[in-house]
Amino acid sequence: MGNINASVDLRRDDGIAVVTVDNPPVNALKHEVRAGLVEGLRQARDDDAVKAVVIACAGRTFFAGADITEFGKPPQAPGLHDVIATIEAMQKPVVAALHGTALGGGFELALACHYRVAVAGARVGLPEVKLGLLPGAGGTQRLPRPIGPEKALKMIVTGEPIGAAAALADGIIDEIVEGELTTAAIAFARRVVAEERPLKLVRDREGKLSAEGFADAAETLTRRLRGRDAPAACVEAVRNAIILPFEEGLKREAELFRKLVAGDQSKAQRHIFFAEREAAKVPDMPEAAKPRPVTSGAVIGAGTMGGGIAMCFANAGIPVTIVETGRDLLQKGLDRVAANYRTTVSRGGLGADEMERRMGLITGVTELEAVASADVVIEAVFEEMGIKQRVFADLDRLARANALLATNTSTLDVDEIARATARPQEVLGMHFFSPANVMRLLEIVRGAETSFDALATAVALGRRLGKVPVTVGVCYGFVGNRMLARRSVETERLLLEGALPHEIDAAVVAFGFPMGPCAMMDLAGLDVGWRIRQGRGERALIEDALYQAGHYGQKTGKGYFRYDAGSRTPVPDAEVEAIILEGSARIGLNRRPIGEEEIVERMTLPMINEGARILEEGIATRPGDIDVIWVSGYGWPVWRGGPMYYADRLGLAHLCDRLTYYADRSRDVTLRPAPLLQRLAAEGRGFAS
Ligand code: CAA
C-alpha cells in the first residue's frame, strides 16, 4: 500500500482498496499510469483484507482517454487491454468513481469495471472518431450492451459525450452520488461487497443487442461524413457487436483500430488536436499577464454579425448588451436572434426554457452610453474605416478603464482603428466568422500596441465562448481571408480558362470541403466582394459581370448558381455560363477542358504559398495556427490536417515545381514559390520542422 509509482497511489480504507491516479492535467492513461493500475489491482487482489476496489482520479477529471502522444510510438506493456483484463478477472467488485470527463480509453476502462458511480456534473463519451479513430479498448463492444447498438453508434460516430443523468437513465452508470466522490464511492463499494457471485460484467449483458434500427441509424449518421475513414470503421465495429461473439468483436475492433491509428487521416487529425491547443498560446506572453475577469459584454451593431456575437455571449451565460443606432434596426436584430434560437429549439437542439434564459441575457439599447458597464466591447458595425474610427473614439470616451475594446473587422487595419482612442493598448481585433454563433474560429488580431493583459483576456474569453482562438498579426485580410483571396483569384482564372462553377466546386468538394468556392461566394454575397473590390480599386472580370447582372448570390436566388425559391441547393445556370464564355472571348482566351487534379492544385497551392509568406512575415506564429484557421473557419477537411500540414505531405520541392509551372504559364509573379518555401524545399525540410 502507498505510492505505487509517481502517478498511482493505493490505500486501504477498512476493507476497500482505493487506487487513485494523479497524472495532470487530464489523467491520460500513459504507460506509467497503466503499469501502476495493474500493480495496484494485483496487490488488492492478493490482499485478503481487501473486499472491493475503487478506482478514482485526482485533479479535474477521471481519465480523459489514452495518452494521444503515445500513438505512433512502439507500444509499451502493459497496454490498456491488459489493465482492462486485470479488472475483469478480479473476483472482488471494482467500482469506477467518475468526475469531470471520462472519455475514450478512460470511459472504456470504466465500462470494464463491475460498477460505475459518478458526480452529477460528470460526462462520459467516446470521442475517438474526432481523432480519426474508433474506441480501441472494447468501447465498440461494451457500450452497445447496456444501451443497445443504435444509441451506442450515435455516441461513437458523433463522439459527443453525454451527462451523468442521461448515463444513469441508460444504465451506463449505477448511481449519481452526492458529497465527496471517493468517500461516496467507498460507501457504494461497501454496499456491493456481498453481491452475488460471479460478479456481473458489462460484456455479459446481451439483452439489448438487437439489429433493429441499426442500418437506418448508420446511414443517417454517416451520410455527411464522406471522405473520412473512421466513421465507417465505427459502424463496422458496432455491427460486429451485434453479429459476433464478444471476443471475436474485440479482435476485429483491435484490427480496425490498428489500421486507423497508423493511417494518414488519424495522424492529420491528431496534428489538429494538438495544433488547436497550441494556437491558444502566445509565445512571448509573460507569466505575469493574466486574463481579466469578464462578467458582461457589449456588442456594437445589431446586424447579422453583431447578433451572432451576442448569441455567443448568451450561450456562454454572459450577460450582453447590443447597441444599435435606431429602434427599428435594433428590433430587427433582436428578432433575428430570437428566430435563430427558435430554429434551434424546433430542431431539438435547445429546450424552450433554455432559449428564454439565453434571450434574457441579451439586452438591446440605442444609447452607446450603455457600454460603460461592460468588461468587453466588440464593435461589429459597417466595414468602413471612418465609421469604425468614430465608434472607437466614442468608446474611448464612454467605456470603463481597462475594458477590452475589440473590432470585428475582417479587412481593416486594427492599428489605425486603435489610433482613434487614447488607449490603443486595450484595442485588438476579434474576428468572428459568419454565422458567428456557429463557426468555431476566432482570429484574435494583435495590434502594434495591444497589451498582453488585453490579449490574454481575449484568448480566455474566446475559449469561454467555445471558440478556437488563434492570435494573428495585422495585415490585409489577416490569415484566413488573405489566403482565401488567392483562391478567389485562381477561381476567376479557372472560369476564364475553361472550367465552369459546378466543375470547380465538385473538385473542391471531392477534396473534402463541405462546399466549393462558388457556392461559398453565393452564400457570402457577391455584392460584399464587389464593395470590397471597389474600395481597393480591384477588378474581377467574371464576378463583376455577375454582380452587374444582379447575381448577388443566394439572397437574389442567383449568383454563380441558380437557387429555386426556398432552396439552398446550387443549380448550374445557363445565364452564368453565357457570362463566363463571353468573358473568355473578351480577353481572347481559347477555353479548354480542365481536369479535377489541376483544379485541386490551383485551389490549394497558391493558398499554401501565401501561407508561407504569412509565416515569413510573422503574421501567423506557427504553421499549425494556419492549419487550425483553415480547418475551423473555412471547412478544410480535418482529415487532411490543414493546408500547411498537407503541403508537408505533398513535399515542398514538388510544391515549388508546381507553383513555378503555374507562375510561368500565367505570368503571375505572385505564384512564384515564396522564399521560405524555396529555402525549406532546398534543405529538404517541411513547415513542421
Ligand atoms: N492525451 C494526451 N494529452 C492530452 C489528452 C490525451 N488524451 N487530452 C488532453 N491532453 C492535453 C492537451 O493537449 C493539453 O495539453 P497542453 O496544456 O500542453 O496544451 C492539456 O491536456 C489540457 O487539455 P485541454 O486544453 O483540451 O483542456 P480542457 O479542459 O479544455 O479539455 C478534455 C479537457 C475535454 C479532456 C480535452 O482535453 C479532450 O477532449 N481531450 C481528448 C479526449 C480524447 O480524445 N480521448 C480519447 C483519446 S484516444 C483513446 O482513448 C483511444 C482508445 O480507445 C484507447
Side-chain angles (χ1 to χ4, degrees):
M1 300 277 154
N3 276 357
I4 289 185
N5 60 32
S7 300
V8 183
D9 175 77
L10 175 66
R11 70 182 165 93
R12 210 169 56 205
D13 185 311
D14 194 17
I16 309 296
V18 182
V19 184
T20 308
V21 174
D22 188 8
N23 175 30
V26 298
N27 288 310
L29 284 150
K30 66 176 178 182
H31 173 250
E32 185 181 66
V33 171
R34 300 192 303 270
L37 280 168
V38 168
E39 179 54 29
L41 287 161
R42 283 194 185 133
Q43 288 188 21
R45 178 193 64 194
D46 297 340
D47 184 343
D48 288 341
V50 168
K51 303 296 174 210
V53 182
V54 167
I55 299 179
C57 288
R60 67 194 211 217
T61 182
F62 193 73
F63 309 108
D67 186 334
I68 304 166
T69 61
E70 287 183 356
F71 292 163
K73 297 181 187 157
Q76 265 184 297
L80 195 47
H81 284 286
D82 301 314
V83 181
I84 284 173
T86 311
I87 294 173
E88 288 192 332
M90 293 286 286
Q91 300 302 313
K92 306 170 181 181
V94 181
V95 180
L98 314 182
H99 75 295
T101 41
L103 299 178
F107 180 38
E108 292 174 291
L109 181 150
L111 283 172
C113 295
H114 303 102
Y115 301 95
R116 285 150 296 281
V117 300
V119 295
R123 300 196 313 148
V124 300
L126 295 171
E128 285 88 342
V129 74
K130 297 183 182 176
L131 297 169
L133 297 170
L134 51 57
T140 66
Q141 305 306 297
R142 286 191 184 82
L143 187 60
R145 287 174 153 78
I147 68 173
E150 193 182 333
K151 270 192 181 169
L153 188 71
K154 184 161 179 228
M155 278 183 75
I156 292 170
V157 171
T158 63
E160 291 306 322
I162 60 170
L168 181 70
D170 279 339
I172 301 174
I173 60 173
D174 300 285
E175 197 170 291
I176 293 179
V177 300
E178 286 179 7
E180 203 277 317
L181 173 61
T182 309
T183 311
I186 292 170
F188 181 93
R190 278 210 179 95
R191 288 208 308 275
V192 296
V193 162
E195 289 277 293
E196 62 177 293
R197 299 296 195 271
L199 288 161
K200 291 189 193 68
L201 289 169
V202 169
R203 61 189 283 161
D204 300 324
R205 295 197 219 164
E206 303 269 321
K208 289 195 178 164
L209 284 183
S210 138
E212 205 186 318
F214 182 80
D216 287 346
E219 154 67 17
T220 313
L221 286 165
T222 54
R223 195 180 296 150
R224 296 180 57 196
L225 298 173
R226 298 242 158 77
R228 288 169 55 184
D229 295 338
C234 293
V235 171
E236 185 182 337
V238 178
R239 185 182 295 117
N240 287 341
I242 310 171
I243 58 178
L244 297 178
F246 184 79
E247 284 298 334
E248 196 57 34
L250 269 192
K251 231 171 86 191
R252 288 289 301 133
E253 179 197 86
E255 284 163 18
L256 289 165
F257 183 85
R258 273 197 298 275
K259 206 165 135 197
L260 289 175
V261 81
D264 289 340
Q265 296 198 355
S266 176
K267 279 184 202 149
Q269 288 179 245
R270 271 138 49 200
H271 157 71
I272 289 295
F273 176 84
F274 289 113
E276 260 186 25
R277 277 143 188 90
E278 200 65 22
K281 296 170 193 159
V282 180
D284 58 339
M285 178 86 74
E287 284 273 321
K290 290 277 171 291
R292 299 184 199 123
V294 173
T295 55
S296 66
V299 177
I300 317 297
T304 312
M305 212 61 205
I309 297 171
M311 287 175 80
C312 296
F313 277 83
N315 295 348
I318 308 172
V320 61
T321 305
I322 304 185
V323 187
E324 183 50 89
T325 44
R327 276 270 139 221
D328 287 354
L329 282 177
L330 178 64
Q331 198 51 50
K332 241 171 111 180
L334 292 172
D335 290 348
R336 196 179 310 116
V337 168
N340 280 341
Y341 275 133
R342 269 197 300 277
T343 308
T344 316
V345 171
S346 69
R347 289 184 186 152
L350 197 69
D353 48 344
E354 183 57 23
M355 165 177 165
E356 285 307 316
R357 200 183 67 79
R358 294 186 191 185
M359 279 305 289
L361 288 171
I362 303 176
T363 315
V365 299
T366 50
E367 302 80 28
L368 195 60
E369 284 71 16
V371 300
S373 60
D375 299 314
V376 173
V377 186
I378 301 178
E379 163 277 313
V381 303
F382 197 72
E383 188 78 350
E384 199 188 290
M385 184 55 83
I387 302 179
K388 302 243 186 213
Q389 284 185 323
R390 275 197 293 285
V391 169
F392 272 79
D394 287 340
L395 291 180
D396 193 24
R397 204 163 38 80
L398 297 169
R400 68 160 64 140
N402 270 350
L404 180 71
L405 305 181
T407 168
N408 179 53
T409 181
S410 50
T411 50
L412 300 175
D413 185 337
V414 173
D415 291 327
E416 218 177 309
I417 296 175
R419 278 197 287 276
T421 73
R423 39 172 143 167
Q425 73 281 2
E426 305 300 345
V427 179
L428 44 67
M430 286 180 84
H431 182 206
F432 290 78
F433 288 72
S434 191
N437 53 314
V438 178
M439 298 300 290
R440 294 175 66 229
L441 176 61
L442 177 65
E443 280 183 328
I444 296 183
V445 189
R446 179 181 179 177
E449 298 195 47
T450 306
S451 73
F452 284 113
D453 282 355
L455 198 54
T457 306
V459 172
L461 175 64
R463 290 199 79 171
R464 226 173 122 196
L465 299 183
K467 302 294 168 197
V468 181
V470 186
T471 305
V472 300
V474 175
C475 69
Y476 180 75
F478 314 123
V479 173
N481 284 346
R482 178 168 155 185
M483 288 168 71
L484 183 69
R486 305 307 318 166
R487 192 173 83 170
S488 302
V489 168
E490 216 53 42
T491 303
E492 177 85 6
R493 259 192 205 135
L494 282 167
L495 292 171
L496 286 168
E497 288 173 31
L500 290 172
H502 68 271
E503 292 166 341
I504 298 178
D505 278 22
V508 170
V509 168
F511 181 79
F513 278 88
M515 63 169 75
C518 298
M520 194 173 136
M521 284 187 273
D522 280 355
L523 186 64
L526 273 68
D527 52 330
V528 178
W530 162 265
R531 267 205 309 274
I532 293 174
R533 281 194 301 283
Q534 289 293 300
R536 291 173 60 82
E538 291 171 355
R539 297 196 51 205
L541 195 67
I542 306 285
E543 209 182 323
D544 288 349
L546 286 172
Y547 170 81
Q548 271 146 3
H551 287 241
Y552 291 2
Q554 281 194 24
K555 63 181 83 167
T556 53
K558 52 186 189 173
Y560 282 91
F561 297 101
R562 186 167 59 69
Y563 298 85
D564 293 333
S567 161
R568 290 173 171 272
T569 309
V571 182
D573 184 353
E575 196 183 315
V576 173
E577 189 172 339
I579 291 175
I580 294 171
L581 296 187
E582 199 188 301
S584 305
R586 197 163 353 136
I587 55 169
L589 270 182
N590 281 329
R591 294 178 65 80
R592 62 181 171 91
I594 303 181
E596 185 174 314
E597 199 181 333
E598 177 175 342
I599 295 177
V600 167
E601 276 195 333
R602 294 174 64 179
M603 290 288 95
T604 51
L605 272 40
M607 264 180 20
I608 293 166
N609 203 24
E610 196 63 29
R613 291 191 192 102
I614 284 169
L615 280 174
E616 235 165 353
E617 293 167 23
I619 298 293
T621 312
R622 297 158 278 238
D625 289 8
I626 299 180
D627 291 335
V628 169
I629 285 173
W630 270 82
V631 167
S632 57
Y634 296 84
W636 182 285
V638 62
W639 50 271
R640 288 191 193 269
M644 309 318 270
Y645 180 89
Y646 174 71
D648 280 354
R649 313 261 345 150
L650 288 180
L652 299 193
H654 169 72
L655 223 83
C656 282
D657 287 349
R658 298 306 294 157
L659 281 165
T660 306
Y661 166 77
Y662 287 121
D664 288 345
R665 208 175 67 178
S666 63
R667 298 205 190 89
D668 176 354
V669 289
T670 67
L671 288 176
R672 295 237 163 269
L676 175 67
L677 196 55
Q678 289 183 29
R679 200 179 72 233
L680 290 174
E683 291 167 3
R685 293 160 61 196
F687 288 113
S689 68

